[in-house]
Amino acid sequence: MSNVPAIDRASRWKTIRSEVGRAVGALVIALFVAFVVVLLTSKAPFEALNVLLTQPISKPRTIGLWIDDVAKLTVTGLAFSLVFQARQFAMGVQGQVYIGALAASYVALSPLGASWAGIPLGITAAMLAGAVYGFLPGIAKAKLGANEIVSSLMLNYIAIELCNYLVRTSLPKPQPGVLTTDNFPASAVFPPLIPNTRIDLGIILALIAVLVVWFALYRTSWGLKLRLVGHNSRFAEYSGIKATFIMVSAMTAAGALGGLLGSMFVQGQTYGKLTVLFEGGLAFEGILVAIVARSRPLAVPIVALFYAYLRQGAQLMNIRTDVPAEVIGIVTAIIILLVSSSFSLNFITRLFKRGPAPAVAAVTAAGGTAK
Amino acid sequence: MMELIVTVFSAAFFVTVIRTTTPLLLATLGGLIADLSGALNVALEGMMLIGCLTAVIVSVYAPWYVAVAAGLGAGALLGLIMAFFAYRLKADIILVGFAINILAAGGTVFALALATGGDKGTSINLQSKAIPAVDLSFLSAIPGVGPILTAFLSGHSVLSWVAAFLVFAVWYFLYRTPWGLWLRGVGEYPAAPEAAGIPVNKVRTWSLIVSGALAGLGGAQLAMFNYVGFTRDMTAGRGFIALGAVLLGARHPIGALLAALLFGAFEALAVVMPGLFNDVPAELIRMIPFVVTIAALVLFSIRAQRALAMRGVK
């Protein structure tokens, strides 16, 4: 009996080692493909690669950009981890970000925003709004069986258009015609932790969120039920767990995280105001973060740290060299494909053992993705 | 309001509806085939987008039909990639689908920047071609109904006629050929066809390839007829709407046609409304297809649940 925890610990280390190995292997392959693409297309490929891999830590300002991205990727990664652990494929983080940002902006631009309540109330409003927006596809699935993927994606588009509309019409603007609101009062903007960088309260909120989600998933009965539902919802149902309730609550909690991310966007140092399309597709990057982290909350910030570095490197490469930042989309897609599949380090050898046909398929796959 | 009614019942509006419906219908048929084979193809959006770009770039150097075929081929290739990762490497098909969407969103902008020498997002610099419209003005010679027939039937894209034919072809394939039966069997209960010696993975792979090809064809129509040229994210959620249309169409080709027509009509409404109502904000009009999709999804789900309940009672 006494060696059970030891075995447990040993197997856990083994899992962690093999997961890290897979993630690193996938990253190396993806970077290699990206490198080949850059090599074929750029006039100065080595300079581009140098910018991608070294520039994000070159200046305090770029480090700030990196850490800011880490905070945001962590929160969206957590939101996706929560729904993935319950085996739901709600893709609504993007919409929740916009709705949360709208709620935070209404608070920040109201008289309350100029008081001490600007920050806590803005965050709360954003999380509530996001939770409601996450609840909608959840309840539609639980009560009606409406496919949560389709409904959450549609809600994303609706939220974006709603944000465009409200920014253009009803929210206060510095001058007519611009698609941003007034700057928020200083009391409603997250204070920077290090002056003159974008490192602000957001990174602390992100780390708190990591701990809260970890605690909820691994130290509460709700979390146990949620993971059971994710493993086998029928078994969970038989053992007396209300699978639909768990499902809806997971999607609502993930919605609150999405809302939090919205408030981090508009109340953070980056913006300090609401503009249209501020999110720039970051919310969906949470899919990659959650998949590589195997939906484990404690692994999410670590993955975010690496991935944010790549994203910032790509942005700098976009500005300083002739390689567009979108090359990172290729890297992202390959990492998701490899990590979510039964890919492992000896996968290549297995592929060749099976005969030429799969190898040809692999080549076409690689050729197709590199296109 | 009166103008709206007049507009909606005009031949020009009908032609607009067919135009907006065609890419959706092709993608919906693609989604239907994947769905019946047991795979929710969330990558329709990305497949369409890559179909758009491939068609636009190829059309600069080749005749329009080659470009359309290239768009179709690009979609089919993506379907093959999806099948490879989902069935051979056992990845979750939804994650694979989203990986393809991410690849499409970034990859198209990247590829376009290369093809145009620095243009990020639009293909203004490219002399891309359009799919020709089918001219049926000779129908006017028919006495009486001739001019009306011409007004309604002439001026559609070649691909609109292809799509209409494909509705029938897909129906015939699914319900009148053994392979269609295999496909539906694989989607319904894979163990049974497996036991009967049907190559389940082969059927699934081909379904995804065809699904991708149809989505790519839809992309070609979008980028070579509805709009001529490529813009970043030009599919604007049509692939996801098509997923909704599959469900709304009760997973049947005729249903898919009707659902695609419904969404197409609302999209056409969104096209003509800004000219009629200046006071309705454009953002709210652009929301229409998405709101309609959710409403349709909810209504369909209620109906499906009621049907299940009735079967349970019996």
Side-chain angles (χ1 to χ4, degrees), chain A residues 73-108:
Chain A
L73 286 175
T74 301
V75 176
T76 169
L78 284 175
F80 276 106
S81 296
L82 253 182
V83 286
F84 285 174
Q85 284 246 5
R87 273 204 76 73
Q88 301 299 310
F89 286 102
M91 297 291 170
V93 177
Q94 194 182 33
Q96 292 144 15
V97 168
Y98 280 96
I99 292 295
L102 275 174
S105 304
Y106 272 104
V107 170

PDB file of all heavy atoms in Angstrom, chain A residues 73-108:
ATOM      1  N   LEU A  73      -3.187  34.453 -23.736  1.00  0.00           N
ATOM      2  CA  LEU A  73      -3.251  33.074 -24.225  1.00  0.00           C
ATOM      3  C   LEU A  73      -3.571  32.111 -23.086  1.00  0.00           C
ATOM      4  O   LEU A  73      -4.269  31.106 -23.286  1.00  0.00           O
ATOM      5  CB  LEU A  73      -1.920  32.680 -24.877  1.00  0.00           C
ATOM      6  CG  LEU A  73      -1.642  33.273 -26.240  1.00  0.00           C
ATOM      7  CD1 LEU A  73      -0.242  32.905 -26.697  1.00  0.00           C
ATOM      8  CD2 LEU A  73      -2.651  32.774 -27.254  1.00  0.00           C
ATOM      9  N   THR A  74      -3.072  32.414 -21.889  1.00  0.00           N
ATOM     10  CA  THR A  74      -3.358  31.548 -20.752  1.00  0.00           C
ATOM     11  C   THR A  74      -4.855  31.487 -20.491  1.00  0.00           C
ATOM     12  O   THR A  74      -5.431  30.411 -20.318  1.00  0.00           O
ATOM     13  CB  THR A  74      -2.632  32.061 -19.496  1.00  0.00           C
ATOM     14  OG1 THR A  74      -1.237  32.072 -19.762  1.00  0.00           O
ATOM     15  CG2 THR A  74      -2.919  31.180 -18.305  1.00  0.00           C
ATOM     16  N   VAL A  75      -5.496  32.670 -20.492  1.00  0.00           N
ATOM     17  CA  VAL A  75      -6.918  32.681 -20.159  1.00  0.00           C
ATOM     18  C   VAL A  75      -7.734  31.981 -21.243  1.00  0.00           C
ATOM     19  O   VAL A  75      -8.613  31.162 -20.937  1.00  0.00           O
ATOM     20  CB  VAL A  75      -7.403  34.126 -19.936  1.00  0.00           C
ATOM     21  CG1 VAL A  75      -8.893  34.147 -19.679  1.00  0.00           C
ATOM     22  CG2 VAL A  75      -6.683  34.731 -18.750  1.00  0.00           C
ATOM     23  N   THR A  76      -7.449  32.245 -22.512  1.00  0.00           N
ATOM     24  CA  THR A  76      -8.236  31.562 -23.538  1.00  0.00           C
ATOM     25  C   THR A  76      -7.915  30.063 -23.537  1.00  0.00           C
ATOM     26  O   THR A  76      -8.802  29.227 -23.727  1.00  0.00           O
ATOM     27  CB  THR A  76      -8.052  32.190 -24.941  1.00  0.00           C
ATOM     28  OG1 THR A  76      -8.641  31.328 -25.897  1.00  0.00           O
ATOM     29  CG2 THR A  76      -6.623  32.397 -25.324  1.00  0.00           C
ATOM     30  N   GLY A  77      -6.648  29.712 -23.234  1.00  0.00           N
ATOM     31  CA  GLY A  77      -6.304  28.297 -23.132  1.00  0.00           C
ATOM     32  C   GLY A  77      -7.072  27.619 -22.005  1.00  0.00           C
ATOM     33  O   GLY A  77      -7.534  26.483 -22.152  1.00  0.00           O
ATOM     34  N   LEU A  78      -7.232  28.327 -20.903  1.00  0.00           N
ATOM     35  CA  LEU A  78      -7.987  27.757 -19.782  1.00  0.00           C
ATOM     36  C   LEU A  78      -9.442  27.555 -20.160  1.00  0.00           C
ATOM     37  O   LEU A  78     -10.050  26.527 -19.828  1.00  0.00           O
ATOM     38  CB  LEU A  78      -7.917  28.693 -18.572  1.00  0.00           C
ATOM     39  CG  LEU A  78      -6.622  28.722 -17.780  1.00  0.00           C
ATOM     40  CD1 LEU A  78      -6.704  29.802 -16.712  1.00  0.00           C
ATOM     41  CD2 LEU A  78      -6.361  27.368 -17.142  1.00  0.00           C
ATOM     42  N   ALA A  79     -10.015  28.541 -20.855  1.00  0.00           N
ATOM     43  CA  ALA A  79     -11.423  28.433 -21.244  1.00  0.00           C
ATOM     44  C   ALA A  79     -11.624  27.207 -22.129  1.00  0.00           C
ATOM     45  O   ALA A  79     -12.564  26.421 -21.922  1.00  0.00           O
ATOM     46  CB  ALA A  79     -11.868  29.706 -21.973  1.00  0.00           C
ATOM     47  N   PHE A  80     -10.733  27.018 -23.099  1.00  0.00           N
ATOM     48  CA  PHE A  80     -10.867  25.837 -23.966  1.00  0.00           C
ATOM     49  C   PHE A  80     -10.589  24.555 -23.184  1.00  0.00           C
ATOM     50  O   PHE A  80     -11.232  23.534 -23.409  1.00  0.00           O
ATOM     51  CB  PHE A  80      -9.941  25.953 -25.181  1.00  0.00           C
ATOM     52  CG  PHE A  80     -10.528  26.755 -26.293  1.00  0.00           C
ATOM     53  CD1 PHE A  80     -10.082  28.033 -26.569  1.00  0.00           C
ATOM     54  CD2 PHE A  80     -11.554  26.235 -27.069  1.00  0.00           C
ATOM     55  CE1 PHE A  80     -10.641  28.779 -27.598  1.00  0.00           C
ATOM     56  CE2 PHE A  80     -12.113  26.966 -28.093  1.00  0.00           C
ATOM     57  CZ  PHE A  80     -11.654  28.239 -28.361  1.00  0.00           C
ATOM     58  N   SER A  81      -9.628  24.597 -22.246  1.00  0.00           N
ATOM     59  CA  SER A  81      -9.329  23.404 -21.454  1.00  0.00           C
ATOM     60  C   SER A  81     -10.568  22.937 -20.695  1.00  0.00           C
ATOM     61  O   SER A  81     -10.856  21.748 -20.644  1.00  0.00           O
ATOM     62  CB  SER A  81      -8.215  23.701 -20.453  1.00  0.00           C
ATOM     63  OG  SER A  81      -7.031  24.015 -21.119  1.00  0.00           O
ATOM     64  N   LEU A  82     -11.275  23.894 -20.113  1.00  0.00           N
ATOM     65  CA  LEU A  82     -12.467  23.545 -19.335  1.00  0.00           C
ATOM     66  C   LEU A  82     -13.486  22.805 -20.186  1.00  0.00           C
ATOM     67  O   LEU A  82     -13.987  21.743 -19.808  1.00  0.00           O
ATOM     68  CB  LEU A  82     -13.110  24.818 -18.795  1.00  0.00           C
ATOM     69  CG  LEU A  82     -12.972  25.114 -17.316  1.00  0.00           C
ATOM     70  CD1 LEU A  82     -13.727  26.381 -16.989  1.00  0.00           C
ATOM     71  CD2 LEU A  82     -13.489  23.968 -16.479  1.00  0.00           C
ATOM     72  N   VAL A  83     -13.804  23.351 -21.362  1.00  0.00           N
ATOM     73  CA  VAL A  83     -14.827  22.679 -22.176  1.00  0.00           C
ATOM     74  C   VAL A  83     -14.277  21.398 -22.779  1.00  0.00           C
ATOM     75  O   VAL A  83     -15.002  20.416 -22.908  1.00  0.00           O
ATOM     76  CB  VAL A  83     -15.406  23.604 -23.278  1.00  0.00           C
ATOM     77  CG1 VAL A  83     -16.336  24.620 -22.674  1.00  0.00           C
ATOM     78  CG2 VAL A  83     -14.343  24.258 -24.102  1.00  0.00           C
ATOM     79  N   PHE A  84     -12.978  21.384 -23.125  1.00  0.00           N
ATOM     80  CA  PHE A  84     -12.427  20.152 -23.697  1.00  0.00           C
ATOM     81  C   PHE A  84     -12.428  19.035 -22.652  1.00  0.00           C
ATOM     82  O   PHE A  84     -12.648  17.873 -22.981  1.00  0.00           O
ATOM     83  CB  PHE A  84     -11.000  20.383 -24.214  1.00  0.00           C
ATOM     84  CG  PHE A  84     -10.930  21.143 -25.509  1.00  0.00           C
ATOM     85  CD1 PHE A  84      -9.711  21.537 -26.043  1.00  0.00           C
ATOM     86  CD2 PHE A  84     -12.082  21.456 -26.211  1.00  0.00           C
ATOM     87  CE1 PHE A  84      -9.644  22.235 -27.241  1.00  0.00           C
ATOM     88  CE2 PHE A  84     -12.019  22.159 -27.407  1.00  0.00           C
ATOM     89  CZ  PHE A  84     -10.794  22.548 -27.920  1.00  0.00           C
ATOM     90  N   GLN A  85     -12.144  19.372 -21.384  1.00  0.00           N
ATOM     91  CA  GLN A  85     -12.153  18.341 -20.349  1.00  0.00           C
ATOM     92  C   GLN A  85     -13.542  17.729 -20.205  1.00  0.00           C
ATOM     93  O   GLN A  85     -13.673  16.565 -19.850  1.00  0.00           O
ATOM     94  CB  GLN A  85     -11.710  18.940 -19.006  1.00  0.00           C
ATOM     95  CG  GLN A  85     -10.230  19.166 -18.935  1.00  0.00           C
ATOM     96  CD  GLN A  85      -9.543  18.289 -17.901  1.00  0.00           C
ATOM     97  OE1 GLN A  85     -10.152  17.441 -17.299  1.00  0.00           O
ATOM     98  NE2 GLN A  85      -8.253  18.496 -17.718  1.00  0.00           N
ATOM     99  N   ALA A  86     -14.576  18.515 -20.450  1.00  0.00           N
ATOM    100  CA  ALA A  86     -15.935  17.973 -20.421  1.00  0.00           C
ATOM    101  C   ALA A  86     -16.327  17.410 -21.783  1.00  0.00           C
ATOM    102  O   ALA A  86     -17.487  17.078 -22.007  1.00  0.00           O
ATOM    103  CB  ALA A  86     -16.929  19.055 -19.999  1.00  0.00           C
ATOM    104  N   ARG A  87     -15.361  17.314 -22.697  1.00  0.00           N
ATOM    105  CA  ARG A  87     -15.566  16.848 -24.068  1.00  0.00           C
ATOM    106  C   ARG A  87     -16.687  17.602 -24.770  1.00  0.00           C
ATOM    107  O   ARG A  87     -17.506  17.009 -25.478  1.00  0.00           O
ATOM    108  CB  ARG A  87     -15.822  15.344 -24.114  1.00  0.00           C
ATOM    109  CG  ARG A  87     -14.524  14.558 -24.176  1.00  0.00           C
ATOM    110  CD  ARG A  87     -14.716  13.192 -24.784  1.00  0.00           C
ATOM    111  NE  ARG A  87     -14.862  13.227 -26.222  1.00  0.00           N
ATOM    112  CZ  ARG A  87     -13.859  13.468 -27.067  1.00  0.00           C
ATOM    113  NH1 ARG A  87     -12.663  13.701 -26.630  1.00  0.00           N
ATOM    114  NH2 ARG A  87     -14.070  13.464 -28.360  1.00  0.00           N
ATOM    115  N   GLN A  88     -16.724  18.888 -24.572  1.00  0.00           N
ATOM    116  CA  GLN A  88     -17.611  19.748 -25.354  1.00  0.00           C
ATOM    117  C   GLN A  88     -16.718  20.508 -26.322  1.00  0.00           C
ATOM    118  O   GLN A  88     -15.579  20.795 -25.993  1.00  0.00           O
ATOM    119  CB  GLN A  88     -18.341  20.736 -24.446  1.00  0.00           C
ATOM    120  CG  GLN A  88     -19.176  20.067 -23.392  1.00  0.00           C
ATOM    121  CD  GLN A  88     -20.244  19.204 -24.016  1.00  0.00           C
ATOM    122  OE1 GLN A  88     -20.964  19.643 -24.889  1.00  0.00           O
ATOM    123  NE2 GLN A  88     -20.334  17.952 -23.586  1.00  0.00           N
ATOM    124  N   PHE A  89     -17.257  20.818 -27.477  1.00  0.00           N
ATOM    125  CA  PHE A  89     -16.440  21.569 -28.423  1.00  0.00           C
ATOM    126  C   PHE A  89     -17.005  22.959 -28.628  1.00  0.00           C
ATOM    127  O   PHE A  89     -17.123  23.435 -29.749  1.00  0.00           O
ATOM    128  CB  PHE A  89     -16.302  20.812 -29.742  1.00  0.00           C
ATOM    129  CG  PHE A  89     -15.373  19.647 -29.609  1.00  0.00           C
ATOM    130  CD1 PHE A  89     -15.864  18.366 -29.492  1.00  0.00           C
ATOM    131  CD2 PHE A  89     -14.010  19.846 -29.559  1.00  0.00           C
ATOM    132  CE1 PHE A  89     -15.004  17.294 -29.347  1.00  0.00           C
ATOM    133  CE2 PHE A  89     -13.141  18.779 -29.412  1.00  0.00           C
ATOM    134  CZ  PHE A  89     -13.637  17.502 -29.309  1.00  0.00           C
ATOM    135  N   ALA A  90     -17.380  23.595 -27.540  1.00  0.00           N
ATOM    136  CA  ALA A  90     -17.883  24.963 -27.649  1.00  0.00           C
ATOM    137  C   ALA A  90     -16.731  25.851 -28.123  1.00  0.00           C
ATOM    138  O   ALA A  90     -15.654  25.829 -27.545  1.00  0.00           O
ATOM    139  CB  ALA A  90     -18.396  25.434 -26.308  1.00  0.00           C
ATOM    140  N   MET A  91     -16.968  26.591 -29.201  1.00  0.00           N
ATOM    141  CA  MET A  91     -15.927  27.421 -29.789  1.00  0.00           C
ATOM    142  C   MET A  91     -16.253  28.895 -29.566  1.00  0.00           C
ATOM    143  O   MET A  91     -15.954  29.739 -30.392  1.00  0.00           O
ATOM    144  CB  MET A  91     -15.822  27.134 -31.288  1.00  0.00           C
ATOM    145  CG  MET A  91     -15.405  25.719 -31.584  1.00  0.00           C
ATOM    146  SD  MET A  91     -13.703  25.447 -31.106  1.00  0.00           S
ATOM    147  CE  MET A  91     -13.577  23.669 -31.290  1.00  0.00           C
ATOM    148  N   GLY A  92     -16.910  29.199 -28.451  1.00  0.00           N
ATOM    149  CA  GLY A  92     -17.478  30.541 -28.289  1.00  0.00           C
ATOM    150  C   GLY A  92     -16.601  31.535 -27.561  1.00  0.00           C
ATOM    151  O   GLY A  92     -17.073  32.613 -27.232  1.00  0.00           O
ATOM    152  N   VAL A  93     -15.327  31.217 -27.321  1.00  0.00           N
ATOM    153  CA  VAL A  93     -14.512  32.149 -26.539  1.00  0.00           C
ATOM    154  C   VAL A  93     -14.443  33.516 -27.220  1.00  0.00           C
ATOM    155  O   VAL A  93     -14.532  34.552 -26.575  1.00  0.00           O
ATOM    156  CB  VAL A  93     -13.099  31.581 -26.314  1.00  0.00           C
ATOM    157  CG1 VAL A  93     -12.232  32.574 -25.575  1.00  0.00           C
ATOM    158  CG2 VAL A  93     -13.180  30.291 -25.534  1.00  0.00           C
ATOM    159  N   GLN A  94     -14.337  33.500 -28.550  1.00  0.00           N
ATOM    160  CA  GLN A  94     -14.235  34.773 -29.271  1.00  0.00           C
ATOM    161  C   GLN A  94     -15.444  35.676 -28.976  1.00  0.00           C
ATOM    162  O   GLN A  94     -15.278  36.846 -28.647  1.00  0.00           O
ATOM    163  CB  GLN A  94     -14.139  34.504 -30.771  1.00  0.00           C
ATOM    164  CG  GLN A  94     -13.697  35.700 -31.549  1.00  0.00           C
ATOM    165  CD  GLN A  94     -13.649  35.427 -33.042  1.00  0.00           C
ATOM    166  OE1 GLN A  94     -14.457  34.651 -33.567  1.00  0.00           O
ATOM    167  NE2 GLN A  94     -12.712  36.034 -33.709  1.00  0.00           N
ATOM    168  N   GLY A  95     -16.630  35.106 -29.082  1.00  0.00           N
ATOM    169  CA  GLY A  95     -17.829  35.895 -28.809  1.00  0.00           C
ATOM    170  C   GLY A  95     -17.864  36.373 -27.375  1.00  0.00           C
ATOM    171  O   GLY A  95     -18.223  37.522 -27.101  1.00  0.00           O
ATOM    172  N   GLN A  96     -17.464  35.499 -26.446  1.00  0.00           N
ATOM    173  CA  GLN A  96     -17.471  35.890 -25.033  1.00  0.00           C
ATOM    174  C   GLN A  96     -16.496  37.035 -24.793  1.00  0.00           C
ATOM    175  O   GLN A  96     -16.770  37.921 -23.978  1.00  0.00           O
ATOM    176  CB  GLN A  96     -17.083  34.680 -24.177  1.00  0.00           C
ATOM    177  CG  GLN A  96     -18.133  33.584 -24.190  1.00  0.00           C
ATOM    178  CD  GLN A  96     -17.516  32.204 -24.154  1.00  0.00           C
ATOM    179  OE1 GLN A  96     -16.341  32.041 -23.856  1.00  0.00           O
ATOM    180  NE2 GLN A  96     -18.309  31.187 -24.459  1.00  0.00           N
ATOM    181  N   VAL A  97     -15.371  37.026 -25.502  1.00  0.00           N
ATOM    182  CA  VAL A  97     -14.411  38.118 -25.353  1.00  0.00           C
ATOM    183  C   VAL A  97     -15.062  39.443 -25.749  1.00  0.00           C
ATOM    184  O   VAL A  97     -14.958  40.439 -25.028  1.00  0.00           O
ATOM    185  CB  VAL A  97     -13.157  37.852 -26.216  1.00  0.00           C
ATOM    186  CG1 VAL A  97     -12.291  39.096 -26.307  1.00  0.00           C
ATOM    187  CG2 VAL A  97     -12.358  36.708 -25.632  1.00  0.00           C
ATOM    188  N   TYR A  98     -15.771  39.454 -26.888  1.00  0.00           N
ATOM    189  CA  TYR A  98     -16.385  40.709 -27.342  1.00  0.00           C
ATOM    190  C   TYR A  98     -17.488  41.156 -26.399  1.00  0.00           C
ATOM    191  O   TYR A  98     -17.594  42.336 -26.062  1.00  0.00           O
ATOM    192  CB  TYR A  98     -16.916  40.562 -28.770  1.00  0.00           C
ATOM    193  CG  TYR A  98     -15.816  40.691 -29.790  1.00  0.00           C
ATOM    194  CD1 TYR A  98     -15.191  39.570 -30.315  1.00  0.00           C
ATOM    195  CD2 TYR A  98     -15.369  41.945 -30.193  1.00  0.00           C
ATOM    196  CE1 TYR A  98     -14.168  39.686 -31.225  1.00  0.00           C
ATOM    197  CE2 TYR A  98     -14.339  42.073 -31.103  1.00  0.00           C
ATOM    198  CZ  TYR A  98     -13.741  40.935 -31.614  1.00  0.00           C
ATOM    199  OH  TYR A  98     -12.720  41.064 -32.503  1.00  0.00           O
ATOM    200  N   ILE A  99     -18.319  40.201 -25.956  1.00  0.00           N
ATOM    201  CA  ILE A  99     -19.411  40.574 -25.055  1.00  0.00           C
ATOM    202  C   ILE A  99     -18.853  41.052 -23.716  1.00  0.00           C
ATOM    203  O   ILE A  99     -19.300  42.060 -23.149  1.00  0.00           O
ATOM    204  CB  ILE A  99     -20.346  39.354 -24.856  1.00  0.00           C
ATOM    205  CG1 ILE A  99     -21.079  39.034 -26.172  1.00  0.00           C
ATOM    206  CG2 ILE A  99     -21.336  39.599 -23.748  1.00  0.00           C
ATOM    207  CD1 ILE A  99     -22.019  40.113 -26.625  1.00  0.00           C
ATOM    208  N   GLY A 100     -17.825  40.327 -23.215  1.00  0.00           N
ATOM    209  CA  GLY A 100     -17.197  40.743 -21.964  1.00  0.00           C
ATOM    210  C   GLY A 100     -16.588  42.123 -22.084  1.00  0.00           C
ATOM    211  O   GLY A 100     -16.726  42.959 -21.182  1.00  0.00           O
ATOM    212  N   ALA A 101     -15.925  42.368 -23.213  1.00  0.00           N
ATOM    213  CA  ALA A 101     -15.302  43.670 -23.421  1.00  0.00           C
ATOM    214  C   ALA A 101     -16.355  44.771 -23.464  1.00  0.00           C
ATOM    215  O   ALA A 101     -16.150  45.864 -22.917  1.00  0.00           O
ATOM    216  CB  ALA A 101     -14.499  43.656 -24.717  1.00  0.00           C
ATOM    217  N   LEU A 102     -17.498  44.480 -24.091  1.00  0.00           N
ATOM    218  CA  LEU A 102     -18.574  45.468 -24.130  1.00  0.00           C
ATOM    219  C   LEU A 102     -19.049  45.786 -22.720  1.00  0.00           C
ATOM    220  O   LEU A 102     -19.182  46.962 -22.340  1.00  0.00           O
ATOM    221  CB  LEU A 102     -19.746  44.926 -24.956  1.00  0.00           C
ATOM    222  CG  LEU A 102     -19.662  45.128 -26.455  1.00  0.00           C
ATOM    223  CD1 LEU A 102     -20.815  44.412 -27.135  1.00  0.00           C
ATOM    224  CD2 LEU A 102     -19.715  46.607 -26.799  1.00  0.00           C
ATOM    225  N   ALA A 103     -19.272  44.728 -21.919  1.00  0.00           N
ATOM    226  CA  ALA A 103     -19.748  44.948 -20.552  1.00  0.00           C
ATOM    227  C   ALA A 103     -18.736  45.764 -19.770  1.00  0.00           C
ATOM    228  O   ALA A 103     -19.093  46.745 -19.085  1.00  0.00           O
ATOM    229  CB  ALA A 103     -19.994  43.601 -19.871  1.00  0.00           C
ATOM    230  N   ALA A 104     -17.449  45.391 -19.879  1.00  0.00           N
ATOM    231  CA  ALA A 104     -16.404  46.126 -19.160  1.00  0.00           C
ATOM    232  C   ALA A 104     -16.366  47.582 -19.615  1.00  0.00           C
ATOM    233  O   ALA A 104     -16.184  48.496 -18.805  1.00  0.00           O
ATOM    234  CB  ALA A 104     -15.052  45.456 -19.392  1.00  0.00           C
ATOM    235  N   SER A 105     -16.569  47.808 -20.928  1.00  0.00           N
ATOM    236  CA  SER A 105     -16.500  49.173 -21.438  1.00  0.00           C
ATOM    237  C   SER A 105     -17.653  50.010 -20.911  1.00  0.00           C
ATOM    238  O   SER A 105     -17.459  51.182 -20.572  1.00  0.00           O
ATOM    239  CB  SER A 105     -16.547  49.164 -22.968  1.00  0.00           C
ATOM    240  OG  SER A 105     -15.520  48.372 -23.463  1.00  0.00           O
ATOM    241  N   TYR A 106     -18.849  49.405 -20.837  1.00  0.00           N
ATOM    242  CA  TYR A 106     -19.983  50.180 -20.309  1.00  0.00           C
ATOM    243  C   TYR A 106     -19.717  50.589 -18.862  1.00  0.00           C
ATOM    244  O   TYR A 106     -20.033  51.710 -18.458  1.00  0.00           O
ATOM    245  CB  TYR A 106     -21.283  49.371 -20.426  1.00  0.00           C
ATOM    246  CG  TYR A 106     -21.955  49.575 -21.769  1.00  0.00           C
ATOM    247  CD1 TYR A 106     -21.902  48.623 -22.758  1.00  0.00           C
ATOM    248  CD2 TYR A 106     -22.625  50.771 -22.023  1.00  0.00           C
ATOM    249  CE1 TYR A 106     -22.498  48.830 -23.988  1.00  0.00           C
ATOM    250  CE2 TYR A 106     -23.236  50.990 -23.250  1.00  0.00           C
ATOM    251  CZ  TYR A 106     -23.163  50.019 -24.230  1.00  0.00           C
ATOM    252  OH  TYR A 106     -23.746  50.248 -25.429  1.00  0.00           O
ATOM    253  N   VAL A 107     -19.115  49.662 -18.084  1.00  0.00           N
ATOM    254  CA  VAL A 107     -18.799  50.013 -16.699  1.00  0.00           C
ATOM    255  C   VAL A 107     -17.728  51.107 -16.677  1.00  0.00           C
ATOM    256  O   VAL A 107     -17.858  52.113 -15.975  1.00  0.00           O
ATOM    257  CB  VAL A 107     -18.310  48.772 -15.932  1.00  0.00           C
ATOM    258  CG1 VAL A 107     -17.755  49.167 -14.575  1.00  0.00           C
ATOM    259  CG2 VAL A 107     -19.447  47.779 -15.769  1.00  0.00           C
ATOM    260  N   ALA A 108     -16.669  50.913 -17.474  1.00  0.00           N
ATOM    261  CA  ALA A 108     -15.537  51.838 -17.410  1.00  0.00           C
ATOM    262  C   ALA A 108     -15.932  53.239 -17.861  1.00  0.00           C
ATOM    263  O   ALA A 108     -15.402  54.225 -17.360  1.00  0.00           O
ATOM    264  CB  ALA A 108     -14.393  51.303 -18.275  1.00  0.00           C
TER     265      ALA A 108
END
